[in-house]
Amino acid sequence: MTPSTDEVERRIQAFTRTCRRRGLKITHQRLEIFRELAASAEHPDAETVFQAVSRRVPSISRDTVYRTLATLEAEGLVRRVEPLFESARYDANLDRHHHFVCMGCGLVRDFYSADLDDLPIPPAVKTLGEIESAHVEVRGTCSACAQRLGRTRPHRSE
Ligand SMILES: [Zn+2]
Ligand SMILES: [Zn+2]
């Protein structure tokens, strides 16, 4: 599901607020890169973001897009989706959420679950290090891939 216009605006406002608070320059290019990510449900990689932004801002360089995404990630303004894919994929949804990942085509979709938010972290994890966050990654085959494979009803038992 593509984020609604309201949701995109909310993300952009939160982004500009955080930038101002931290004294980060809000350049036109930065804003366009973030907007592209904020309006996408795809968790795109840097190359995809570059292709999309350069349609609107033809002067933007690939290098700028890659460096900006790295900067935004270091500032916690976007997140990287790890680590299933070769190229880093980015996420502008900073609300608590979880991911469905298709093992066939690499589709990544957000979903929300209060139950999963409250999953207890086993105390043993704390002996490994300090916990910052936790999210659940559900892996499977998306409906488009299932259809392509002719398995429209993958759970049918014969
Ligand atoms: Zn798929
Ligand atoms: Zn996400």
Side-chain angles (χ1 to χ4, degrees):
M1 216 84 62
T2 311
S4 68
T5 319
D6 282 357
E7 177 58 25
V8 174
E9 275 313 307
R10 194 182 66 81
R11 289 177 184 180
I12 290 170
Q13 273 167 24
F15 173 77
T16 51
R17 261 201 312 276
T18 307
C19 285
R20 284 205 191 95
R21 204 169 52 229
R22 298 204 193 144
L24 285 168
K25 252 194 259 154
I26 308 171
T27 62
H28 174 62
Q29 296 194 337
R30 253 182 205 179
L31 199 58
E32 286 304 314
I33 291 166
F34 183 81
R35 183 191 303 279
E36 182 58 37
L37 209 52
S40 169
E42 305 290 331
H43 302 76
D45 62 12
E47 184 61 29
T48 308
V49 173
F50 166 68
Q51 298 293 344
V53 172
S54 61
R55 271 193 291 268
R56 283 181 281 127
V57 190
S59 61
I60 203 162
S61 73
R62 179 177 273 113
D63 189 51
T64 299
V65 173
Y66 278 67
R67 272 189 296 111
T68 301
L69 286 170
T71 304
L72 297 185
E73 193 217 341
E75 292 288 339
L77 290 160
V78 303
R79 294 211 178 108
R80 266 169 89 137
V81 182
E82 303 278 13
L84 200 54
F85 309 107
E86 277 160 33
S87 59
R89 314 252 313 243
Y90 291 93
D91 194 347
N93 183 1
L94 301 180
D95 293 337
R96 192 88 196 269
H97 70 281
H98 308 273
H99 286 143
F100 173 85
V101 178
C102 174
M103 304 303 287
C105 65
L107 167 134
V108 179
R109 283 286 183 275
D110 293 342
F111 69 91
Y112 299 87
S113 161
D115 287 340
L116 293 184
D117 292 349
D118 290 339
L119 268 192
I121 308 291
V125 177
K126 288 167 190 148
T127 67
L128 300 172
E130 209 174 304
I131 295 165
E132 203 182 291
S133 66
H135 89 282
V136 174
E137 185 175 285
V138 176
R139 295 182 182 182
T141 305
C142 75
S143 18
C145 283
Q147 210 153 33
R148 204 168 43 240
L149 297 167
R151 291 194 285 120
T152 43
R153 294 169 63 198
H155 297 301
R156 179 181 51 193
S157 53
E158 311 268 45

